[in-house]
Amino acid sequence: MEKYLINPNQKISKISKDIYGHFSEHLGRCIYDGMYVGENSDIPNVNGMRCDVVNALKEMGIPVLRWPGGCFADEYHWKDGIGEKSKRKKMINTHWGGVVEDNSFGTHEFFELCRQLGCDAYINGNVGSGTVEEMNEWVEYMTFDGVSPMAELRAENGHKEPWKIKYFGVGNESWGCGGNMDPEYYGDLFKRYNTYVRDYDSNYHINRIACGPNGNNYHWTKQVMDKVKYHANGLALHYYTVPTGNWDHKGSATEFDEAEYDSTISKAYEMELLVSNHIKMMDSVKPDHRVKLVIDEWGTWFDVEPGTNPGFLYQQSTMRDAVVAGLTLNIFNKHADRIMMANIAQTVNVLQAVILTDGDKMVLTPTYHIFKMYKDHQENTLVGSFLTTKELTSEMNNKKSYPQLTESASIDENGVVYSTITNCSASEAVEIKCQVADTSVTKITAEILTGDIHDKNDFENGERVTVKAFDDFEMTADGFIATIPACSIVKFIIK
Ligand code: AHR
Protein backbone atom coordinates (compact mmCIF):
# COMPACT_ATOMS: atom_id res chain seq x y z
CA MET A 1 0.00 0.00 0.00
CA GLU A 2 1.33 3.47 -0.90
CA LYS A 3 1.34 6.24 1.71
CA TYR A 4 -0.05 9.69 1.04
CA LEU A 5 0.50 12.60 3.43
CA ILE A 6 -1.21 15.96 3.08
CA ASN A 7 -0.15 18.79 5.37
CA PRO A 8 -2.70 21.63 5.24
CA ASN A 9 -0.55 23.61 7.69
CA GLN A 10 2.20 23.88 5.10
CA LYS A 11 0.78 26.63 2.90
CA ILE A 12 3.09 27.04 -0.07
CA SER A 13 1.59 29.57 -2.45
CA LYS A 14 -1.52 30.55 -4.34
CA ILE A 15 -2.32 28.45 -7.42
CA SER A 16 -3.05 31.07 -10.05
CA LYS A 17 -6.17 30.28 -12.01
CA ASP A 18 -4.17 31.17 -15.11
CA ILE A 19 -2.30 27.85 -14.84
CA TYR A 20 -5.57 26.50 -16.27
CA GLY A 21 -5.37 28.73 -19.36
CA HIS A 22 -5.99 27.94 -23.02
CA PHE A 23 -4.61 28.87 -26.42
CA SER A 24 -6.47 29.67 -29.64
CA GLU A 25 -4.76 30.26 -32.95
CA HIS A 26 -5.88 30.97 -36.49
CA LEU A 27 -5.06 27.36 -37.25
CA GLY A 28 -7.35 24.79 -38.83
CA ARG A 29 -10.80 24.88 -37.23
CA CYS A 30 -9.85 26.32 -33.86
CA ILE A 31 -11.24 29.84 -34.35
CA TYR A 32 -13.35 29.47 -37.50
CA ASP A 33 -15.97 26.70 -37.06
CA GLY A 34 -14.67 25.87 -33.59
CA MET A 35 -15.46 29.05 -31.72
CA TYR A 36 -16.57 31.61 -34.29
CA VAL A 37 -19.20 30.84 -36.91
CA GLY A 38 -20.29 34.38 -37.77
CA GLU A 39 -23.54 36.17 -37.06
CA ASN A 40 -25.33 34.65 -40.08
CA SER A 41 -24.65 31.03 -39.20
CA ASP A 42 -27.48 28.55 -38.55
CA ILE A 43 -25.48 27.33 -35.58
CA PRO A 44 -26.83 29.13 -32.51
CA ASN A 45 -24.47 32.01 -31.75
CA VAL A 46 -24.20 35.33 -29.99
CA ASN A 47 -22.40 37.91 -32.10
CA GLY A 48 -20.91 35.06 -34.11
CA MET A 49 -19.59 32.99 -31.15
CA ARG A 50 -20.96 29.44 -30.88
CA CYS A 51 -23.24 29.23 -27.84
CA ASP A 52 -22.53 25.52 -27.20
CA VAL A 53 -18.75 26.02 -27.14
CA VAL A 54 -18.88 29.23 -25.11
CA ASN A 55 -21.16 27.62 -22.51
CA ALA A 56 -18.99 24.50 -22.24
CA LEU A 57 -15.79 26.54 -21.82
CA LYS A 58 -17.43 28.72 -19.17
CA GLU A 59 -18.56 25.67 -17.26
CA MET A 60 -15.04 24.23 -17.47
CA GLY A 61 -13.71 27.45 -15.90
CA ILE A 62 -11.53 29.00 -18.63
CA PRO A 63 -9.55 31.80 -16.93
CA VAL A 64 -7.45 33.21 -19.78
CA LEU A 65 -7.20 32.80 -23.55
CA ARG A 66 -4.12 33.32 -25.73
CA TRP A 67 -4.58 34.65 -29.30
CA PRO A 68 -3.88 34.98 -32.31
CA GLY A 69 -0.98 32.45 -32.29
CA GLY A 70 1.43 30.62 -32.26
CA CYS A 71 3.30 30.88 -35.50
CA PHE A 72 0.35 32.83 -36.91
CA ALA A 73 1.06 35.68 -34.47
CA ASP A 74 4.33 36.58 -36.20
CA GLU A 75 2.53 36.88 -39.55
CA TYR A 76 -0.52 38.67 -38.19
CA HIS A 77 -1.06 42.33 -39.01
CA TRP A 78 -3.82 43.48 -36.72
CA LYS A 79 -5.12 46.29 -38.93
CA ASP A 80 -6.25 43.62 -41.43
CA GLY A 81 -8.75 42.42 -38.82
CA ILE A 82 -10.63 45.61 -37.90
CA GLY A 83 -13.38 47.69 -39.52
CA GLU A 84 -16.23 46.58 -41.71
CA LYS A 85 -15.95 42.85 -42.32
CA SER A 86 -16.72 42.88 -46.05
CA LYS A 87 -13.78 45.22 -46.59
CA ARG A 88 -11.25 43.22 -44.56
CA LYS A 89 -8.30 41.75 -46.44
CA LYS A 90 -8.57 38.17 -47.59
CA MET A 91 -5.29 36.32 -47.60
CA ILE A 92 -3.75 32.87 -47.48
CA ASN A 93 -2.87 31.39 -44.13
CA THR A 94 0.52 30.30 -45.40
CA HIS A 95 1.58 28.67 -42.17
CA TRP A 96 -1.49 26.56 -41.53
CA GLY A 97 -3.12 24.64 -44.35
CA GLY A 98 -2.94 27.27 -47.10
CA VAL A 99 -6.60 28.23 -46.65
CA VAL A 100 -8.19 31.66 -47.08
CA GLU A 101 -8.08 33.83 -43.98
CA ASP A 102 -10.78 36.45 -44.40
CA ASN A 103 -9.92 38.25 -41.19
CA SER A 104 -13.55 38.19 -40.06
CA PHE A 105 -12.30 37.29 -36.58
CA GLY A 106 -10.07 40.13 -35.41
CA THR A 107 -9.37 42.21 -32.33
CA HIS A 108 -12.99 43.21 -31.62
CA GLU A 109 -14.20 39.65 -32.07
CA PHE A 110 -11.48 38.29 -29.75
CA PHE A 111 -12.43 40.65 -26.95
CA GLU A 112 -16.11 39.85 -27.52
CA LEU A 113 -15.24 36.15 -27.14
CA CYS A 114 -13.37 36.88 -23.90
CA ARG A 115 -16.34 38.90 -22.65
CA GLN A 116 -18.71 36.03 -23.31
CA LEU A 117 -16.31 33.54 -21.69
CA GLY A 118 -15.68 35.84 -18.73
CA CYS A 119 -11.93 35.28 -19.14
CA ASP A 120 -8.83 37.44 -19.39
CA ALA A 121 -7.01 38.25 -22.62
CA TYR A 122 -3.51 37.17 -23.55
CA ILE A 123 -2.51 38.84 -26.81
CA ASN A 124 0.58 37.70 -28.70
CA GLY A 125 2.29 40.46 -30.68
CA ASN A 126 4.22 40.20 -33.95
CA VAL A 127 7.99 40.60 -33.71
CA GLY A 128 8.92 38.27 -36.61
CA SER A 129 7.39 40.29 -39.44
CA GLY A 130 5.86 43.32 -37.71
CA THR A 131 7.25 46.70 -36.78
CA VAL A 132 7.66 48.37 -33.42
CA GLU A 133 5.17 51.01 -34.58
CA GLU A 134 2.60 48.34 -35.46
CA MET A 135 2.88 46.74 -32.03
CA ASN A 136 2.80 50.11 -30.31
CA GLU A 137 -0.33 51.14 -32.19
CA TRP A 138 -2.08 47.84 -31.47
CA VAL A 139 -1.58 48.29 -27.73
CA GLU A 140 -2.78 51.90 -28.03
CA TYR A 141 -5.82 50.73 -30.04
CA MET A 142 -6.74 48.13 -27.45
CA THR A 143 -6.05 49.95 -24.21
CA PHE A 144 -5.82 53.74 -24.53
CA ASP A 145 -8.68 55.68 -22.98
CA GLY A 146 -8.31 59.25 -24.22
CA VAL A 147 -7.77 61.32 -27.31
CA SER A 148 -5.42 59.56 -29.72
CA PRO A 149 -5.57 58.33 -33.31
CA MET A 150 -5.86 54.69 -32.31
CA ALA A 151 -8.43 55.28 -29.57
CA GLU A 152 -10.51 57.22 -32.10
CA LEU A 153 -10.20 54.46 -34.66
CA ARG A 154 -11.39 51.95 -32.07
CA ALA A 155 -14.39 54.15 -31.30
CA GLU A 156 -15.16 54.54 -35.02
CA ASN A 157 -15.15 50.75 -35.22
CA GLY A 158 -17.79 50.58 -32.53
CA HIS A 159 -15.91 50.23 -29.24
CA LYS A 160 -15.40 53.46 -27.33
CA GLU A 161 -14.30 51.77 -24.12
CA PRO A 162 -10.75 50.41 -24.02
CA TRP A 163 -10.18 46.76 -23.22
CA LYS A 164 -7.79 45.26 -20.72
CA ILE A 165 -4.88 43.02 -21.69
CA LYS A 166 -3.65 40.88 -18.80
CA TYR A 167 -0.73 39.39 -20.73
CA PHE A 168 1.10 40.50 -23.86
CA GLY A 169 3.55 38.18 -25.64
CA VAL A 170 6.41 39.92 -27.43
CA GLY A 171 6.89 37.45 -30.29
CA ASN A 172 6.33 33.69 -30.40
CA GLU A 173 8.90 30.94 -30.91
CA SER A 174 11.41 33.54 -32.05
CA TRP A 175 13.94 30.66 -32.15
CA GLY A 176 11.84 29.07 -34.95
CA CYS A 177 8.74 30.14 -36.88
CA GLY A 178 8.88 33.58 -35.24
CA GLY A 179 12.09 34.64 -37.01
CA ASN A 180 14.79 31.98 -36.47
CA MET A 181 16.70 34.26 -34.13
CA ASP A 182 19.58 33.71 -31.76
CA PRO A 183 18.73 34.30 -28.10
CA GLU A 184 20.97 37.36 -27.74
CA TYR A 185 19.42 39.02 -30.79
CA TYR A 186 15.88 38.19 -29.63
CA GLY A 187 16.67 39.47 -26.14
CA ASP A 188 17.68 42.84 -27.60
CA LEU A 189 14.60 42.93 -29.82
CA PHE A 190 12.39 42.11 -26.84
CA LYS A 191 13.71 45.15 -24.99
CA ARG A 192 13.13 47.39 -27.99
CA TYR A 193 9.60 46.23 -28.82
CA ASN A 194 8.62 45.98 -25.17
CA THR A 195 9.51 49.63 -24.59
CA TYR A 196 6.53 50.58 -26.73
CA VAL A 197 4.08 48.18 -25.11
CA ARG A 198 2.76 51.00 -22.94
CA ASP A 199 0.77 50.76 -19.75
CA TYR A 200 -1.69 53.48 -20.75
CA ASP A 201 -3.74 52.81 -17.62
CA SER A 202 -1.40 53.59 -14.74
CA ASN A 203 -3.49 51.38 -12.45
CA TYR A 204 -3.24 48.33 -14.66
CA HIS A 205 0.02 46.66 -15.59
CA ILE A 206 0.22 44.52 -18.71
CA ASN A 207 2.32 41.44 -17.94
CA ARG A 208 4.92 41.14 -20.67
CA ILE A 209 5.84 37.65 -21.78
CA ALA A 210 9.18 37.01 -23.47
CA CYS A 211 9.67 34.10 -25.85
CA GLY A 212 11.23 31.30 -23.85
CA PRO A 213 12.89 28.03 -24.74
CA ASN A 214 11.88 25.12 -26.89
CA GLY A 215 11.88 22.11 -24.56
CA ASN A 216 15.28 21.61 -22.97
CA ASN A 217 17.11 24.54 -24.58
CA TYR A 218 18.58 25.90 -21.33
CA HIS A 219 21.04 28.05 -23.27
CA TRP A 220 18.10 30.04 -24.68
CA THR A 221 16.70 30.55 -21.19
CA LYS A 222 20.01 31.79 -19.82
CA GLN A 223 20.82 34.18 -22.67
CA VAL A 224 17.31 35.63 -22.96
CA MET A 225 16.94 35.97 -19.19
CA ASP A 226 20.16 37.89 -19.09
CA LYS A 227 18.70 40.46 -21.50
CA VAL A 228 15.10 40.67 -20.29
CA LYS A 229 15.47 40.21 -16.53
CA TYR A 230 14.47 43.78 -15.66
CA HIS A 231 11.77 44.08 -18.33
CA ALA A 232 9.77 40.87 -18.71
CA ASN A 233 7.28 39.47 -16.23
CA GLY A 234 7.22 36.00 -17.72
CA LEU A 235 9.33 33.71 -19.88
CA ALA A 236 7.35 31.26 -22.04
CA LEU A 237 8.46 27.64 -22.36
CA HIS A 238 6.96 25.45 -25.10
CA TYR A 239 6.90 21.69 -24.72
CA TYR A 240 4.83 19.15 -26.64
CA THR A 241 4.47 15.44 -25.90
CA VAL A 242 5.24 13.43 -29.04
CA PRO A 243 4.98 9.70 -28.19
CA THR A 244 7.54 8.41 -30.69
CA GLY A 245 9.84 11.43 -30.35
CA ASN A 246 9.86 11.52 -34.18
CA TRP A 247 8.17 14.61 -35.65
CA ASP A 248 7.70 12.87 -39.02
CA HIS A 249 5.85 9.92 -37.48
CA LYS A 250 4.50 11.13 -34.20
CA GLY A 251 2.08 8.23 -33.68
CA SER A 252 -1.68 7.89 -33.95
CA ALA A 253 -3.99 9.65 -31.50
CA THR A 254 -6.21 6.59 -31.14
CA GLU A 255 -4.32 3.49 -32.28
CA PHE A 256 -1.38 2.77 -30.05
CA ASP A 257 -0.06 -0.11 -28.01
CA GLU A 258 0.91 -0.13 -24.36
CA ALA A 259 4.56 0.65 -25.14
CA GLU A 260 3.51 3.82 -26.97
CA TYR A 261 1.13 4.67 -24.13
CA ASP A 262 4.00 4.36 -21.62
CA SER A 263 6.25 6.43 -23.83
CA THR A 264 3.61 9.16 -24.05
CA ILE A 265 3.23 9.30 -20.28
CA SER A 266 6.98 9.29 -19.66
CA LYS A 267 7.48 12.06 -22.20
CA ALA A 268 4.68 14.09 -20.66
CA TYR A 269 6.32 13.63 -17.26
CA GLU A 270 9.52 15.22 -18.62
CA MET A 271 7.66 18.47 -17.97
CA GLU A 272 8.65 18.12 -14.30
CA LEU A 273 12.35 18.23 -15.15
CA LEU A 274 11.92 21.01 -17.69
CA VAL A 275 10.01 23.21 -15.27
CA SER A 276 12.48 22.61 -12.40
CA ASN A 277 15.55 23.10 -14.56
CA HIS A 278 14.34 26.22 -16.36
CA ILE A 279 13.38 27.72 -13.00
CA LYS A 280 16.88 26.95 -11.69
CA MET A 281 18.41 28.53 -14.77
CA MET A 282 16.21 31.61 -14.40
CA ASP A 283 17.20 31.85 -10.74
CA SER A 284 20.88 31.66 -11.64
CA VAL A 285 20.43 34.85 -13.66
CA LYS A 286 17.87 36.65 -11.48
CA PRO A 287 17.43 35.07 -8.04
CA ASP A 288 14.65 37.42 -6.88
CA HIS A 289 11.94 35.53 -8.84
CA ARG A 290 10.89 38.71 -10.61
CA VAL A 291 10.39 36.85 -13.86
CA LYS A 292 7.94 33.94 -13.63
CA LEU A 293 7.73 30.87 -15.78
CA VAL A 294 4.91 30.62 -18.31
CA ILE A 295 4.17 27.46 -20.32
CA ASP A 296 2.01 28.91 -23.04
CA GLU A 297 2.03 25.87 -25.30
CA TRP A 298 1.84 22.32 -23.99
CA GLY A 299 0.01 19.09 -24.70
CA THR A 300 0.07 16.00 -26.88
CA TRP A 301 0.90 16.21 -30.57
CA PHE A 302 0.00 13.18 -32.71
CA ASP A 303 -0.31 12.51 -36.44
CA VAL A 304 -3.42 14.25 -37.79
CA GLU A 305 -6.64 12.24 -38.13
CA PRO A 306 -6.52 10.35 -41.44
CA GLY A 307 -8.28 12.25 -44.22
CA THR A 308 -7.95 15.69 -42.61
CA ASN A 309 -5.84 18.63 -43.83
CA PRO A 310 -2.30 18.00 -42.47
CA GLY A 311 -1.98 21.73 -41.83
CA PHE A 312 -5.02 21.74 -39.53
CA LEU A 313 -3.47 19.59 -36.77
CA TYR A 314 -6.80 17.96 -35.97
CA GLN A 315 -6.47 14.97 -33.65
CA GLN A 316 -8.79 12.82 -31.53
CA SER A 317 -8.28 12.52 -27.81
CA THR A 318 -8.45 9.50 -25.48
CA MET A 319 -8.03 8.58 -21.83
CA ARG A 320 -4.29 8.71 -22.56
CA ASP A 321 -4.64 12.47 -23.10
CA ALA A 322 -6.64 12.75 -19.89
CA VAL A 323 -3.78 11.15 -17.92
CA VAL A 324 -1.30 13.50 -19.61
CA ALA A 325 -3.47 16.48 -18.66
CA GLY A 326 -3.95 15.29 -15.08
CA LEU A 327 -0.28 14.66 -14.40
CA THR A 328 0.80 17.90 -16.12
CA LEU A 329 -1.64 20.00 -14.11
CA ASN A 330 -0.40 18.29 -10.93
CA ILE A 331 3.15 19.30 -11.91
CA PHE A 332 2.05 22.89 -12.55
CA ASN A 333 0.18 23.04 -9.23
CA LYS A 334 3.26 21.85 -7.38
CA HIS A 335 5.33 24.64 -8.95
CA ALA A 336 2.60 27.23 -8.44
CA ASP A 337 5.00 29.53 -6.61
CA ARG A 338 6.89 30.11 -9.86
CA ILE A 339 4.41 29.41 -12.66
CA MET A 340 2.40 32.44 -13.66
CA MET A 341 0.31 30.92 -16.44
CA ALA A 342 0.03 27.90 -18.71
CA ASN A 343 -2.00 27.45 -21.90
CA ILE A 344 -2.82 24.04 -23.33
CA ALA A 345 -2.68 23.83 -27.14
CA GLN A 346 -5.31 24.34 -28.42
CA THR A 347 -8.85 24.97 -27.19
CA VAL A 348 -11.01 23.55 -30.02
CA ASN A 349 -10.27 21.14 -32.91
CA VAL A 350 -6.46 21.50 -32.76
CA LEU A 351 -3.94 19.21 -30.98
CA GLN A 352 -4.97 18.34 -27.38
CA ALA A 353 -8.27 20.16 -27.71
CA VAL A 354 -10.83 20.20 -24.92
CA ILE A 355 -13.65 20.41 -27.48
CA LEU A 356 -14.17 18.93 -30.95
CA THR A 357 -16.83 20.17 -33.36
CA ASP A 358 -18.35 18.91 -36.58
CA GLY A 359 -20.88 21.31 -38.07
CA ASP A 360 -23.40 21.97 -35.34
CA LYS A 361 -22.21 18.99 -33.27
CA MET A 362 -19.88 19.30 -30.32
CA VAL A 363 -18.00 16.73 -28.24
CA LEU A 364 -16.20 17.22 -24.93
CA THR A 365 -12.89 15.33 -24.87
CA PRO A 366 -11.47 13.46 -21.84
CA THR A 367 -9.07 16.41 -21.42
CA TYR A 368 -12.08 18.73 -21.03
CA HIS A 369 -13.25 16.66 -18.06
CA ILE A 370 -9.83 16.93 -16.40
CA PHE A 371 -9.86 20.72 -16.63
CA LYS A 372 -13.35 20.77 -15.16
CA MET A 373 -12.39 18.39 -12.33
CA TYR A 374 -9.27 20.40 -11.51
CA LYS A 375 -11.03 23.76 -11.60
CA ASP A 376 -11.44 23.52 -7.80
CA HIS A 377 -7.69 24.17 -7.45
CA GLN A 378 -7.92 27.57 -9.17
CA GLU A 379 -6.93 30.38 -6.75
CA ASN A 380 -6.62 27.91 -3.84
CA THR A 381 -3.47 27.64 -1.76
CA LEU A 382 -1.09 24.85 -2.62
CA VAL A 383 -0.34 22.77 0.48
CA GLY A 384 2.41 20.30 1.27
CA SER A 385 1.78 16.76 0.06
CA PHE A 386 3.80 13.62 -0.54
CA LEU A 387 2.78 10.30 -2.09
CA THR A 388 5.01 7.24 -2.22
CA THR A 389 4.88 5.48 -5.57
CA LYS A 390 6.37 2.81 -7.72
CA GLU A 391 8.50 4.05 -10.62
CA LEU A 392 7.53 2.79 -14.08
CA THR A 393 9.86 2.59 -17.05
CA SER A 394 9.30 3.32 -20.73
CA GLU A 395 11.35 1.03 -22.97
CA MET A 396 10.44 3.12 -26.00
CA ASN A 397 11.55 6.36 -24.37
CA ASN A 398 15.13 5.26 -23.65
CA LYS A 399 14.13 3.36 -20.50
CA LYS A 400 13.24 6.59 -18.76
CA SER A 401 11.39 6.21 -15.50
CA TYR A 402 8.37 8.11 -14.27
CA PRO A 403 6.10 7.77 -11.25
CA GLN A 404 3.04 5.57 -11.44
CA LEU A 405 1.15 8.02 -9.22
CA THR A 406 1.23 11.80 -9.24
CA GLU A 407 -0.69 14.16 -6.98
CA SER A 408 -1.22 17.70 -5.80
CA ALA A 409 -3.30 19.16 -2.97
CA SER A 410 -4.75 22.58 -2.25
CA ILE A 411 -6.91 24.21 0.39
CA ASP A 412 -9.66 26.77 -0.10
CA GLU A 413 -10.56 29.69 2.17
CA ASN A 414 -13.06 27.53 4.09
CA GLY A 415 -10.41 24.94 4.95
CA VAL A 416 -11.65 22.35 2.47
CA VAL A 417 -8.80 20.27 0.99
CA TYR A 418 -8.81 19.18 -2.66
CA SER A 419 -6.47 16.50 -3.92
CA THR A 420 -6.09 15.23 -7.46
CA ILE A 421 -4.31 11.93 -8.08
CA THR A 422 -3.36 10.28 -11.36
CA ASN A 423 -2.65 6.60 -11.72
CA CYS A 424 -0.60 6.53 -14.92
CA SER A 425 -0.36 2.75 -15.20
CA ALA A 426 -2.33 1.28 -18.09
CA SER A 427 -3.21 -1.85 -16.15
CA GLU A 428 -2.41 -1.78 -12.45
CA ALA A 429 -4.65 -0.41 -9.68
CA VAL A 430 -2.96 0.89 -6.52
CA GLU A 431 -4.11 1.00 -2.92
CA ILE A 432 -3.20 4.17 -1.03
CA LYS A 433 -3.55 5.27 2.58
CA CYS A 434 -3.97 9.01 2.99
CA GLN A 435 -3.43 10.95 6.22
CA VAL A 436 -4.23 14.62 6.52
CA ALA A 437 -2.06 16.18 9.24
CA ASP A 438 -3.76 17.78 12.26
CA THR A 439 -7.21 17.17 10.85
CA SER A 440 -10.26 15.26 12.03
CA VAL A 441 -11.88 14.37 8.78
CA THR A 442 -15.68 14.64 8.83
CA LYS A 443 -16.64 14.14 5.21
CA ILE A 444 -15.00 13.02 1.98
CA THR A 445 -16.47 13.02 -1.50
CA ALA A 446 -14.63 11.95 -4.63
CA GLU A 447 -14.99 11.75 -8.38
CA ILE A 448 -13.16 9.83 -11.06
CA LEU A 449 -12.39 9.82 -14.77
CA THR A 450 -11.24 6.40 -15.87
CA GLY A 451 -11.42 3.86 -18.67
CA ASP A 452 -9.33 1.87 -21.05
CA ILE A 453 -6.35 3.81 -22.37
CA HIS A 454 -8.05 4.00 -25.81
CA ASP A 455 -11.46 5.20 -24.65
CA LYS A 456 -12.64 8.37 -26.30
CA ASN A 457 -15.69 10.52 -26.92
CA ASP A 458 -16.75 11.01 -30.50
CA PHE A 459 -19.72 12.29 -32.49
CA GLU A 460 -21.40 8.87 -32.29
CA ASN A 461 -20.98 8.61 -28.53
CA GLY A 462 -20.00 11.74 -26.66
CA GLU A 463 -20.58 10.23 -23.21
CA ARG A 464 -18.26 7.22 -23.24
CA VAL A 465 -15.73 9.01 -21.02
CA THR A 466 -17.39 11.10 -18.34
CA VAL A 467 -16.75 11.99 -14.72
CA LYS A 468 -18.43 9.68 -12.21
CA ALA A 469 -18.82 9.71 -8.45
CA PHE A 470 -16.10 7.58 -6.81
CA ASP A 471 -16.81 5.61 -3.66
CA ASP A 472 -14.16 2.90 -3.60
CA PHE A 473 -12.62 4.33 -0.44
CA GLU A 474 -12.97 3.98 3.29
CA MET A 475 -12.85 7.02 5.53
CA THR A 476 -10.48 6.95 8.51
CA ALA A 477 -10.20 9.36 11.44
CA ASP A 478 -7.58 11.42 9.64
CA GLY A 479 -7.99 10.52 5.99
CA PHE A 480 -8.93 7.56 3.82
CA ILE A 481 -7.84 4.29 2.28
CA ALA A 482 -8.65 4.00 -1.42
CA THR A 483 -7.94 1.89 -4.47
CA ILE A 484 -7.03 4.07 -7.42
CA PRO A 485 -7.89 2.20 -10.64
CA ALA A 486 -5.46 1.90 -13.54
CA CYS A 487 -5.51 4.77 -16.04
CA SER A 488 -7.53 7.06 -13.83
CA ILE A 489 -7.68 10.50 -12.34
CA VAL A 490 -9.41 10.85 -8.98
CA LYS A 491 -10.31 14.01 -7.08
CA PHE A 492 -10.91 13.88 -3.34
CA ILE A 493 -12.68 16.69 -1.51
CA ILE A 494 -11.84 16.45 2.17
CA LYS A 495 -13.70 18.35 4.90
O1 AHR B 1 0.32 24.95 -31.56
C1 AHR B 1 0.77 24.78 -32.87
C2 AHR B 1 2.09 25.47 -33.14
O2 AHR B 1 3.09 24.90 -32.36
C3 AHR B 1 2.16 26.94 -32.79
O3 AHR B 1 1.66 27.76 -33.77
C4 AHR B 1 3.62 27.16 -32.61
O4 AHR B 1 3.92 28.21 -31.72
C5 AHR B 1 4.15 25.81 -32.17
O5 AHR B 1 5.24 25.41 -32.89
Side-chain angles (χ1 to χ4, degrees):
M1 185 179 317
E2 303 293 352
K3 291 199 176 65
Y4 183 24
L5 301 174
I6 301 177
N7 183 1
N9 301 322
Q10 188 194 353
K11 299 198 165 55
I12 299 169
S13 78
K14 191 163 103 175
I15 299 175
S16 167
K17 62 184 191 315
D18 295 344
I19 282 179
Y20 291 83
H22 291 259
F23 169 36
S24 59
E25 179 166 11
H26 288 238
L27 194 178
R29 298 187 302 111
C30 182
I31 302 279
Y32 300 113
D33 278 7
M35 294 200 262
Y36 178 76
V37 285
E39 296 83 346
N40 301 324
S41 171
D42 290 339
I43 298 173
N45 69 83
V46 173
N47 299 328
M49 314 299 157
R50 289 182 75 127
C51 298
D52 53 355
V53 170
V54 166
N55 289 337
L57 291 174
K58 268 166 73 174
E59 217 173 294
M60 185 194 70
I62 184 170
V64 61
L65 188 61
R66 177 178 185 232
W67 174 81
C71 296
F72 185 80
D74 281 290
E75 292 191 33
Y76 185 60
H77 300 285
W78 68 273
K79 284 187 182 162
D80 296 342
I82 56 168
E84 201 192 305
K85 284 192 186 167
S86 62
K87 295 203 181 117
R88 293 189 195 173
K89 250 190 208 166
K90 290 193 178 42
M91 58 231 279
I92 300 295
N93 187 334
T94 43
H95 213 98
W96 301 119
V99 290
V100 174
E101 163 64 62
D102 68 2
N103 279 302
S104 55
F105 189 95
T107 304
H108 290 251
E109 289 74 24
F110 175 66
F111 280 101
E112 170 60 12
L113 176 60
C114 290
R115 185 193 69 76
Q116 291 188 25
L117 292 172
C119 77
D120 287 310
Y122 173 12
I123 297 277
N124 211 115
N126 178 348
V127 171
S129 69
T131 62
V132 175
E133 183 185 19
E134 184 182 7
M135 188 180 284
N136 171 259
E137 286 190 333
W138 197 13
V139 174
E140 181 186 324
Y141 186 88
M142 291 185 280
T143 62
F144 187 65
D145 188 13
V147 181
S148 87
M150 291 303 114
E152 276 166 30
L153 186 58
R154 184 185 67 232
E156 272 168 33
N157 287 330
H159 212 275
K160 180 142 190 2
E161 290 299 306
W163 295 290
K164 288 207 181 322
I165 308 172
K166 187 163 182 187
Y167 300 98
F168 191 91
V170 181
N172 167 73
E173 295 196 351
S174 307
W175 38 261
C177 66
N180 286 304
M181 303 175 198
D182 293 328
E184 298 79 6
Y185 177 67
Y186 169 72
D188 284 334
L189 274 193
F190 175 91
K191 287 195 282 185
R192 178 160 168 245
Y193 277 71
N194 180 57
T195 307
Y196 302 95
V197 176
R198 307 270 189 216
D199 278 330
Y200 288 106
D201 177 350
S202 53
N203 295 314
Y204 190 86
H205 176 64
I206 301 172
N207 291 292
R208 291 92 196 288
I209 311 299
C211 165
N214 181 20
N216 63 2
N217 188 344
Y218 300 110
H219 176 71
W220 180 278
T221 295
K222 185 169 186 330
Q223 299 307 108
V224 171
M225 268 299 288
D226 206 39
K227 298 274 182 181
V228 309
K229 57 182 182 279
Y230 298 113
H231 310 276
N233 302 102
L235 184 78
L237 160 71
H238 286 185
Y239 176 64
Y240 285 101
T241 298
V242 176
T244 59
N246 175 352
W247 282 87
D248 294 328
H249 301 282
K250 296 181 269 297
S252 158
T254 51
E255 287 164 29
F256 49 88
D257 57 18
E258 222 168 288
E260 205 161 306
Y261 171 86
D262 293 344
S263 175
T264 310
I265 303 302
S266 83
K267 281 182 175 288
Y269 192 71
E270 286 177 26
M271 183 67 91
E272 168 60 39
L273 197 67
L274 292 172
V275 166
S276 314
N277 284 351
H278 283 296
I279 287 173
K280 274 189 211 139
M281 187 56 91
M282 290 163 76
D283 287 353
S284 75
V285 180
K286 187 97 178 83
D288 67 359
H289 302 181
R290 184 191 178 278
V291 185
K292 301 268 193 280
L293 187 64
V294 167
I295 304 100
D296 63 9
E297 288 187 31
W298 68 273
T300 52
W301 193 325
F302 307 122
D303 293 333
V304 297
E305 281 304 297
T308 63
N309 185 330
F312 279 16
L313 310 186
Y314 177 78
Q315 65 189 40
Q316 244 296 358
S317 194
T318 64
M319 270 305 298
R320 174 175 63 163
D321 297 80
V323 174
V324 168
L327 77 87
T328 305
L329 293 170
N330 278 342
I331 293 171
F332 292 164
N333 281 348
K334 293 203 113 174
H335 290 279
D337 56 334
R338 303 301 306 284
I339 299 181
M340 184 183 222
M341 169 171 60
N343 312 74
I344 191 170
Q346 300 192 3
T347 324
V348 188
N349 291 332
V350 171
L351 300 178
Q352 193 174 349
V354 292
I355 292 176
L356 303 176
T357 66
D358 180 12
D360 62 354
K361 295 194 277 273
M362 175 186 89
V363 152
L364 306 176
T365 66
T367 301
Y368 174 94
H369 293 297
I370 295 302
F371 271 83
K372 195 166 164 202
M373 273 172 93
Y374 278 53
K375 133 173 127 174
D376 286 330
H377 286 304
Q378 293 186 20
E379 300 290 298
N380 277 359
T381 302
L382 176 74
V383 294
S385 61
F386 183 78
L387 175 57
T388 61
T389 177
K390 198 195 234 179
E391 290 285 308
L392 304 178
T393 305
S394 164
E395 290 297 321
M396 198 170 154
N397 186 19
N398 300 317
K399 297 196 186 334
K400 281 201 182 138
S401 65
Y402 57 98
Q404 175 171 4
L405 301 172
T406 76
E407 48 72 36
S408 64
S410 70
I411 191 165
D412 71 12
E413 52 199 20
N414 301 315
V416 179
V417 171
Y418 301 81
S419 175
T420 42
I421 298 176
T422 64
N423 181 353
C424 303
S425 164
S427 52
E428 189 189 58
V430 188
E431 201 178 11
I432 64 169
K433 181 176 181 358
C434 172
Q435 287 179 292
V436 188
D438 278 342
T439 307
S440 305
V441 172
T442 55
K443 190 175 175 203
I444 299 181
T445 52
E447 46 186 45
I448 185 166
L449 192 75
T450 189
D452 178 79
I453 54 177
H454 300 100
D455 281 354
K456 61 176 188 290
N457 293 330
D458 53 27
F459 297 103
E460 282 69 54
N461 184 356
E463 301 282 313
R464 202 176 285 117
V465 183
T466 52
V467 177
K468 308 223 164 50
F470 178 71
D471 53 16
D472 195 7
F473 66 90
E474 182 195 315
M475 231 172 90
T476 60
D478 60 355
F480 61 85
I481 295 173
T483 301
I484 311 293
C487 187
S488 74
I489 299 92
V490 185
K491 178 177 74 183
F492 291 93
I493 303 179
I494 306 162
K495 293 185 178 154

